[in-house]
Amino acid sequence: MSTLALKYRPLLLKDLIGQEMSVGALTNILTRAKEKGSLHQAYLFAGLRGTGKTSTARIMAKALNCESGPTPHPCGKCPSCLASISPDGHLDIVEIDAASRSSVEDARNLREQVQTLPAFSRYRIYIIDEVHMLSKQAFDALLKMLEEPPSHSIFILATTEIDRVPDTIKSRVQIFPFRLIPVPLIDERLQSISSKESFQLTPDSSRLIAETADGSMRDALTTLDRIIASTTASSISEEAVRYQLGVVPKATMLEISDAISRSDTSKLIILMDSLAQLGIDWIVFWKELVINFQDRLHSEIKSNSTPQAILKWARILQILVSRERDIKESSLPRVIIEITLVTLSKLPNLAPLEALLSPSTSQIRPEPSVFKEKDKSPSTVPTIVAKPDKGLDDLLKMTGGTIG
C-alpha cells in the first residue's frame, strides 16, 4: 500500500499546486520546443523540501520524451509515458542522488554515460537530486558537461540549498524557484484527498495540519497518513491532530493568552507545569504561541482597535520572535519561555520610554542621610549620574519601556 504522498503525486504540470510561476514558464518552454525546436539543455529547480521539485523534474522528462512531444500535455499512453510512471522503469531517464554519488569516480562515470545515445526516446535525461551535495571534483565534471552537452542530453538539477551550488553551474542553467506552498492551498488539497479516501477531516484539523507543514505538501500528506493510521474513527478532529503532532491544546493556548492579558503570573507558572507534565516539545509550543499571538494581532487590527491595543499585541509578538533563537539554542528552553512570558505579563506595568529619557530622570541625587555631616557645604555634595545598565538597555530595546 502506497503512502498518500506517493498516491497523489502530481503526474502533469497542471497538477502542481502553489508553483504557478514555474509551471507557466515550463509550459512556455515545452510549447516553444514543439513549435520552433529550440530547447535549453540544463535546468535547476530550487526550493525547500516537499514543494514539488523532483515531481516536476519527472513530469518534465515525460513531457520531453512523449511521442507527441515535446509537449506540456503528455499523452500518458505511449510506451515512453508508461515507462515514466516508475522512476527506474525508463531506460532514458536516469535519476541520480548526489548525496550518495558525489565521488570523483561517479563523476567520471557520468561523463562517459552522457555520450550514450537514447535507447528508444528523443532525449536521454539526467535528473540529479540534491545537486548541492556534489563534491568539488564532481561539480567540475558537471560543469564540463554543461558547457558542451551532447545534443541528445538534458540535465535537470534539483536542490534545497541553491547557495551551495557554484556560480559557474548556475550561470549555465535556467533556474526555477519553487516557493513554499500557501496554507490555504495545502488545506484545500487535504480536504480534497480526505473526500477521495472516504474519511472526514474537519476544517480546523486540516488547517492545523497545513500550518504545521511549513509550506511542504509532502510533509502535510505524511502527517495526515500518520494520523489516519493511528485512529479508527471516520472523522478526524482538531484535538486528535494536536495530540499526534504534540501541539498544545487550543484551550491551553487561550488560557496562556488570557493570563498574560490579566498579568496573572501565578497562572502562567501553573500552566507551564502542566505542559511539562505532558512532555511537550517546547520548540513546537513556542511556534504555536507565536502563531496564536499573530492571529490575535491580526484580529485587533481588523476590528479597528485603539492604537494602544494594537501596539500592545505587536510588542508582545516582537518579544516572542526576538527570543526564538535563544530558545532553540538553549539546553533549558522552558526557563527562557517562562522568563519571557512573565515579562509579557508585566508589560502593562512598564512606564513609557519618554519617561526614562526625560531630563528630570537623567540624574539621580542621593538622600542626604547617606553622607556624613562633616561638611554640609552644598559644593561638597556630589551629584551621582546613573551609569548605563546593559540589561536595562536590552529590556528597553525589547519592550520599548522601563519598569515603573
Side-chain angles (χ1 to χ4, degrees):
M1 181 179 178
S2 63
T3 63
L4 292 177
L6 293 177
K7 184 176 181 180
Y8 292 97
R9 192 167 198 161
L11 298 177
L12 298 171
L13 287 176
K14 66 178 182 179
D15 297 332
L16 290 164
I17 296 175
Q19 309 298 342
E20 290 77 11
M21 292 183 61
S22 294
V23 168
L26 291 173
T27 299
N28 292 336
I29 288 173
L30 291 169
T31 302
R32 192 179 302 113
K34 176 71 172 179
E35 295 174 351
K36 301 181 179 180
S38 60
L39 181 67
H40 200 277
Q41 289 184 256
Y43 306 88
L44 174 60
F45 298 160
L48 295 181
R49 70 184 191 282
T51 52
K53 301 183 298 299
T54 305
S55 295
T56 305
R58 293 177 180 178
I59 294 171
M60 188 76 170
K62 179 168 66 173
L64 288 170
N65 279 335
C66 178
E67 286 186 357
S68 59
T71 173
H73 310 290
C75 66
K77 299 178 181 179
C78 66
S80 180
C81 287
L82 293 175
S84 300
I85 296 177
S86 174
D88 300 323
H90 203 301
L91 293 176
D92 294 324
I93 299 178
V94 182
E95 289 197 26
I96 300 171
D97 178 20
S100 59
R101 297 180 61 183
S102 61
S103 67
V104 178
E105 187 63 28
D106 290 326
R108 290 172 181 169
N109 292 338
L110 182 58
R111 288 187 63 177
E112 296 173 359
Q113 193 175 8
V114 295
Q115 304 300 326
T116 305
L117 293 173
F120 62 90
S121 303
R122 187 177 294 106
Y123 299 105
R124 189 167 176 83
I125 300 171
Y126 299 88
I127 300 174
I128 306 179
D129 203 7
E130 299 299 339
V131 69
H132 63 271
M133 297 292 288
L134 290 177
S135 63
K136 183 181 182 303
Q137 294 80 3
F139 269 126
D140 291 341
L142 178 60
L143 176 61
K144 186 64 177 179
M145 289 182 280
L146 295 180
E147 286 177 338
E148 301 175 358
S151 59
H152 58 266
S153 296
I154 301 290
F155 296 90
I156 304 177
L157 318 179
T159 180
T160 54
E161 300 182 39
I162 191 171
D163 292 341
R164 293 176 59 184
V165 178
D167 292 337
T168 51
I169 298 293
K170 290 188 282 190
S171 65
R172 289 168 172 80
V173 299
Q174 291 188 355
I175 302 176
F176 295 87
F178 281 69
R179 310 183 190 283
L180 295 177
I181 304 173
V183 169
L185 293 181
I186 297 179
D187 187 2
E188 182 181 348
R189 180 63 170 166
L190 292 175
Q191 288 291 344
S192 173
I193 291 176
S194 66
S195 62
K196 294 177 182 177
E197 294 292 321
S198 302
F199 65 86
Q200 184 179 1
L201 194 62
T202 65
D204 288 340
S205 60
S206 63
R207 178 80 178 184
L208 180 58
I209 295 174
E211 288 175 347
T212 56
D214 291 332
S216 169
M217 183 65 73
R218 183 176 65 233
D219 285 5
L221 293 178
T222 301
T223 300
L224 181 58
D225 241 342
R226 188 170 83 239
I227 295 171
I228 293 173
S230 64
T231 181
T232 57
S234 59
S235 177
I236 298 176
S237 64
E238 181 184 5
E239 291 305 314
V241 175
R242 287 182 177 274
Y243 179 78
Q244 286 296 323
L245 295 177
V247 178
V248 177
K250 192 172 184 179
T252 304
M253 298 301 300
L254 294 175
E255 287 186 81
I256 292 172
S257 178
D258 182 62
I260 290 176
S261 299
R262 294 186 291 103
S263 299
D264 191 347
T265 53
S266 60
K267 179 66 173 178
L268 282 173
I269 299 303
I270 292 173
L271 290 170
M272 292 298 102
D273 287 339
S274 65
L275 292 178
Q277 291 175 3
L278 291 175
I280 68 160
D281 185 332
W282 292 107
I283 305 300
V284 174
F285 163 71
W286 188 258
K287 179 180 177 181
E288 185 72 8
L289 192 66
V290 171
I291 293 174
N292 181 70
F293 280 105
Q294 182 187 32
D295 292 341
R296 179 62 183 267
L297 176 62
H298 290 174
S299 176
E300 294 289 338
I301 294 173
K302 292 176 182 177
S303 60
N304 294 321
S305 298
T306 63
Q308 290 80 2
I310 293 175
L311 286 175
K312 170 189 173 182
W313 293 104
R315 186 179 295 178
I316 288 175
L317 190 59
Q318 180 186 18
I319 294 173
L320 289 174
V321 172
S322 69
R323 302 309 300 273
E324 182 176 5
R325 177 177 293 181
D326 295 336
I327 292 171
K328 288 183 176 180
E329 295 178 353
S330 174
S331 60
L332 297 171
R334 177 186 171 180
V335 175
I336 298 179
I337 290 175
E338 287 183 354
I339 293 173
T340 305
L341 294 183
V342 169
T343 302
L344 294 178
S345 69
K346 295 304 180 182
L347 278 179
N349 298 324
L350 298 180
L353 181 60
E354 291 77 7
L356 177 72
L357 300 178
S358 63
S360 61
T361 60
S362 61
Q363 293 182 339
I364 301 176
R365 295 184 180 274
E367 295 291 333
S369 60
V370 302
F371 295 98
K372 295 181 180 180
E373 297 185 1
K374 180 178 179 181
D375 187 354
K376 295 184 179 180
S377 173
S379 60
T380 62
V381 179
T383 297
I384 300 178
V385 180
K387 296 181 179 180
D389 188 327
K390 188 177 184 303
L392 180 60
D393 289 343
D394 293 340
L395 182 60
L396 291 177
K397 292 178 183 178
M398 187 168 58
T399 64
T402 182
I403 298 177

